[in-house]
Amino acid sequence: MPSVVNIAATRVVEARTQSPFPFQFPPGSPFEDFFKEFNQQQGAPQKRKSTALGSGFVISQDGIVITNNHVIQGAEGILVKFTDGKEYEAKLVGTDPVSDIAVLKIQSSNKFKPVALGDSGKSRVGDWVLAIGNPFGLGGTVTSGIISAINRDINMGRYDNFIQTDASINQGNSGGPLFNMNGEVVGINTAIFSQSGGSVGIGFAIPANFAKNVIEQLRKYGETRRGWLGVRIQEVTKEIADSLGMKEEMGALVADVNEKSPAKKAGIKEGDVIIEFNGIKIDTMRKLPKVVGEAPVGKEATLKIWRDKKVVNK
């Protein structure tokens, strides 16, 4: 509890007010200039402050806080509040909109109590988990549940690999931690599936193992540096697999290769099917961007490709 914070991100938004007069005065009317000026004033954009509420958690004694990018995106001021009522201003260290992770630094010389990021790779379906957050502005709310699924792809982005849980997650829980029974953070609560806007027991968390690499880069560089192959890919359907002489539908079909890309230099061609990357089997097309994105930048990678009805190593 002492490591989980409520986050209030303040933005300035512009809103245009509609003119109260739905009619125009005829040219030359004595009221024309007066109402023209009045309408301009009414139609001018009005600036107002908007506050978004979310959650976060401390991972170092000097006050590094992890949250979601969408909680603090476009914020002019960020305030973090602990369960003991203490409030601090925070500045943005770095953010990654693609994975929806942001790193903040509390503007204080105080020592804070951190939580540890656990090994989410050991998490299994059926494991008990606890979510702590700030749903609907009710700070310090704890909900429990189990892991419903792992490696869930919900088509939110290129690197979808969520832990699904039935622990109640609502608006304001975004950026909060998902704990295992050892008190380690195994996920960052990010999204819910809901047609009503409330929790229906289907929540999604970014796995800690994926987040660790992103957090480390954001702290070090203020941005993320991901592996890049330089190809446009498409799904291998049954028809494509049959036409290429493949026994099963797997891999990512290369539809286009960027000029001056690592793939071009390695001799990858259109029509190749990438079936393995750095020893990791590419079961589906969507797995390739995740695996490539997590690969170390500037280092050689080994690929297995299906070409001319045989496996080629690159």
PDB file of all heavy atoms in Angstrom, residues 96-108:
ATOM      1  N   ASP A  96       6.439   5.729 -23.514  1.00  0.00           N
ATOM      2  CA  ASP A  96       6.400   4.897 -24.717  1.00  0.00           C
ATOM      3  C   ASP A  96       4.932   4.629 -25.074  1.00  0.00           C
ATOM      4  O   ASP A  96       4.312   3.732 -24.508  1.00  0.00           O
ATOM      5  CB  ASP A  96       7.141   3.578 -24.489  1.00  0.00           C
ATOM      6  CG  ASP A  96       7.109   2.682 -25.716  1.00  0.00           C
ATOM      7  OD1 ASP A  96       7.145   3.220 -26.836  1.00  0.00           O
ATOM      8  OD2 ASP A  96       7.038   1.454 -25.569  1.00  0.00           O
ATOM      9  N   PRO A  97       4.375   5.427 -26.002  1.00  0.00           N
ATOM     10  CA  PRO A  97       2.961   5.253 -26.360  1.00  0.00           C
ATOM     11  C   PRO A  97       2.647   3.871 -26.941  1.00  0.00           C
ATOM     12  O   PRO A  97       1.531   3.372 -26.779  1.00  0.00           O
ATOM     13  CB  PRO A  97       2.726   6.346 -27.422  1.00  0.00           C
ATOM     14  CG  PRO A  97       3.825   7.337 -27.217  1.00  0.00           C
ATOM     15  CD  PRO A  97       4.995   6.541 -26.731  1.00  0.00           C
ATOM     16  N   VAL A  98       3.627   3.243 -27.597  1.00  0.00           N
ATOM     17  CA  VAL A  98       3.379   1.943 -28.246  1.00  0.00           C
ATOM     18  C   VAL A  98       3.052   0.870 -27.219  1.00  0.00           C
ATOM     19  O   VAL A  98       2.110   0.101 -27.382  1.00  0.00           O
ATOM     20  CB  VAL A  98       4.589   1.516 -29.111  1.00  0.00           C
ATOM     21  CG1 VAL A  98       4.354   0.143 -29.723  1.00  0.00           C
ATOM     22  CG2 VAL A  98       4.846   2.528 -30.212  1.00  0.00           C
ATOM     23  N   SER A  99       3.813   0.818 -26.130  1.00  0.00           N
ATOM     24  CA  SER A  99       3.541  -0.182 -25.093  1.00  0.00           C
ATOM     25  C   SER A  99       2.695   0.389 -23.955  1.00  0.00           C
ATOM     26  O   SER A  99       2.320  -0.335 -23.030  1.00  0.00           O
ATOM     27  CB  SER A  99       4.853  -0.729 -24.521  1.00  0.00           C
ATOM     28  OG  SER A  99       5.603   0.305 -23.917  1.00  0.00           O
ATOM     29  N   ASP A 100       2.375   1.704 -24.019  1.00  0.00           N
ATOM     30  CA  ASP A 100       1.540   2.392 -23.025  1.00  0.00           C
ATOM     31  C   ASP A 100       2.176   2.392 -21.626  1.00  0.00           C
ATOM     32  O   ASP A 100       1.504   2.186 -20.635  1.00  0.00           O
ATOM     33  CB  ASP A 100       0.135   1.767 -22.976  1.00  0.00           C
ATOM     34  CG  ASP A 100      -0.895   2.714 -22.347  1.00  0.00           C
ATOM     35  OD1 ASP A 100      -0.584   3.915 -22.220  1.00  0.00           O
ATOM     36  OD2 ASP A 100      -1.987   2.254 -21.978  1.00  0.00           O
ATOM     37  N   ILE A 101       3.501   2.629 -21.591  1.00  0.00           N
ATOM     38  CA  ILE A 101       4.215   2.700 -20.312  1.00  0.00           C
ATOM     39  C   ILE A 101       4.850   4.085 -20.179  1.00  0.00           C
ATOM     40  O   ILE A 101       5.391   4.618 -21.139  1.00  0.00           O
ATOM     41  CB  ILE A 101       5.299   1.604 -20.213  1.00  0.00           C
ATOM     42  CG1 ILE A 101       4.650   0.206 -20.190  1.00  0.00           C
ATOM     43  CG2 ILE A 101       6.174   1.789 -18.973  1.00  0.00           C
ATOM     44  CD1 ILE A 101       5.635  -0.941 -20.287  1.00  0.00           C
ATOM     45  N   ALA A 102       4.774   4.648 -18.967  1.00  0.00           N
ATOM     46  CA  ALA A 102       5.411   5.936 -18.691  1.00  0.00           C
ATOM     47  C   ALA A 102       6.183   5.846 -17.377  1.00  0.00           C
ATOM     48  O   ALA A 102       5.770   5.137 -16.453  1.00  0.00           O
ATOM     49  CB  ALA A 102       4.373   7.048 -18.615  1.00  0.00           C
ATOM     50  N   VAL A 103       7.307   6.563 -17.312  1.00  0.00           N
ATOM     51  CA  VAL A 103       8.138   6.610 -16.101  1.00  0.00           C
ATOM     52  C   VAL A 103       8.144   8.041 -15.578  1.00  0.00           C
ATOM     53  O   VAL A 103       8.421   8.984 -16.319  1.00  0.00           O
ATOM     54  CB  VAL A 103       9.579   6.141 -16.396  1.00  0.00           C
ATOM     55  CG1 VAL A 103      10.453   6.274 -15.155  1.00  0.00           C
ATOM     56  CG2 VAL A 103       9.596   4.703 -16.895  1.00  0.00           C
ATOM     57  N   LEU A 104       7.815   8.202 -14.292  1.00  0.00           N
ATOM     58  CA  LEU A 104       7.788   9.520 -13.643  1.00  0.00           C
ATOM     59  C   LEU A 104       8.831   9.563 -12.533  1.00  0.00           C
ATOM     60  O   LEU A 104       9.269   8.525 -12.036  1.00  0.00           O
ATOM     61  CB  LEU A 104       6.407   9.792 -13.024  1.00  0.00           C
ATOM     62  CG  LEU A 104       5.166   9.561 -13.877  1.00  0.00           C
ATOM     63  CD1 LEU A 104       3.916   9.777 -13.029  1.00  0.00           C
ATOM     64  CD2 LEU A 104       5.151  10.470 -15.084  1.00  0.00           C
ATOM     65  N   LYS A 105       9.215  10.781 -12.137  1.00  0.00           N
ATOM     66  CA  LYS A 105      10.138  10.958 -11.004  1.00  0.00           C
ATOM     67  C   LYS A 105       9.504  11.954 -10.039  1.00  0.00           C
ATOM     68  O   LYS A 105       9.171  13.087 -10.409  1.00  0.00           O
ATOM     69  CB  LYS A 105      11.484  11.492 -11.517  1.00  0.00           C
ATOM     70  CG  LYS A 105      12.464  11.919 -10.421  1.00  0.00           C
ATOM     71  CD  LYS A 105      13.066  10.731  -9.706  1.00  0.00           C
ATOM     72  CE  LYS A 105      14.177  11.145  -8.746  1.00  0.00           C
ATOM     73  NZ  LYS A 105      13.709  11.856  -7.550  1.00  0.00           N
ATOM     74  N   ILE A 106       9.318  11.502  -8.779  1.00  0.00           N
ATOM     75  CA  ILE A 106       8.758  12.378  -7.748  1.00  0.00           C
ATOM     76  C   ILE A 106       9.775  13.466  -7.398  1.00  0.00           C
ATOM     77  O   ILE A 106      10.944  13.176  -7.169  1.00  0.00           O
ATOM     78  CB  ILE A 106       8.380  11.570  -6.490  1.00  0.00           C
ATOM     79  CG1 ILE A 106       7.271  10.558  -6.827  1.00  0.00           C
ATOM     80  CG2 ILE A 106       7.928  12.492  -5.363  1.00  0.00           C
ATOM     81  CD1 ILE A 106       6.963   9.574  -5.716  1.00  0.00           C
ATOM     82  N   GLN A 107       9.306  14.717  -7.371  1.00  0.00           N
ATOM     83  CA  GLN A 107      10.181  15.864  -7.089  1.00  0.00           C
ATOM     84  C   GLN A 107      10.327  16.041  -5.586  1.00  0.00           C
ATOM     85  O   GLN A 107       9.760  16.955  -4.981  1.00  0.00           O
ATOM     86  CB  GLN A 107       9.591  17.133  -7.728  1.00  0.00           C
ATOM     87  CG  GLN A 107       9.429  17.048  -9.240  1.00  0.00           C
ATOM     88  CD  GLN A 107      10.749  16.949  -9.978  1.00  0.00           C
ATOM     89  OE1 GLN A 107      11.327  15.885 -10.103  1.00  0.00           O
ATOM     90  NE2 GLN A 107      11.255  18.074 -10.458  1.00  0.00           N
ATOM     91  N   SER A 108      11.108  15.139  -4.982  1.00  0.00           N
ATOM     92  CA  SER A 108      11.338  15.209  -3.541  1.00  0.00           C
ATOM     93  C   SER A 108      12.620  14.458  -3.206  1.00  0.00           C
ATOM     94  O   SER A 108      12.990  13.506  -3.895  1.00  0.00           O
ATOM     95  CB  SER A 108      10.158  14.582  -2.788  1.00  0.00           C
ATOM     96  OG  SER A 108      10.464  14.421  -1.415  1.00  0.00           O
TER      97      SER A 108
END
